[in-house]
Amino acid sequence: LAAPSTRLLVAPAVFVSGVKYRLRVRASLGGVSGTADVEVQANAAPNSGAFFISPTAGFAMSELFRLVATGWADDLEDLPLTYTFSWKGSQGWWAPITVGGTAPFVEAY
């Protein structure tokens, strides 16, 4: 059995803003099964922002990098914005630096 989770992760740009989607989960265990549906409407992404990193080149673990997301706007009901900063490894995987914080910047080696 897999560990229980309350999150569904979807790749970026899969859902179209303003479109309603119905998600269905089916589960069975020991001959007993069930189905549940939920309808969601895709939210528009934050906009008008910029991302900066300083320095723009350097070596991990020896230089301090500052990552800043600035000027991002969203609908009032979607505030406050939360930010996740990550870095990409040489084999294509992503590793988080911070996850879901309200600070629009981070410093990391």
Side-chain angles (χ1 to χ4, degrees):
L1 291 175
S5 176
T6 58
R7 293 181 185 232
L8 171 66
L9 299 178
V10 179
V14 169
F15 293 139
V16 176
S17 175
V19 174
K20 288 185 179 180
Y21 295 89
R22 176 171 288 142
L23 306 175
R24 173 173 287 168
V25 63
R26 292 183 184 140
S28 61
L29 179 63
V32 178
S33 63
T35 303
D37 292 358
V38 64
E39 190 171 278
V40 296
Q41 183 167 346
N43 183 25
N47 58 74
S48 304
F51 175 75
F52 301 99
I53 185 168
S54 178
T56 57
F59 295 96
M61 306 306 291
S62 65
E63 295 183 52
L64 184 65
F65 290 89
R66 182 172 177 85
L67 293 75
V68 179
T70 184
W72 291 95
D74 206 347
D75 299 327
L76 287 176
E77 63 268 15
D78 296 331
L79 298 177
L81 294 177
T82 58
Y83 301 85
T84 296
F85 293 95
S86 303
W87 62 279
K88 188 175 184 180
S90 61
Q91 296 181 350
W93 43 261
W94 286 90
I97 300 169
T98 64
V99 177
T102 56
F105 64 90
V106 67
E107 291 181 335
Y109 282 96

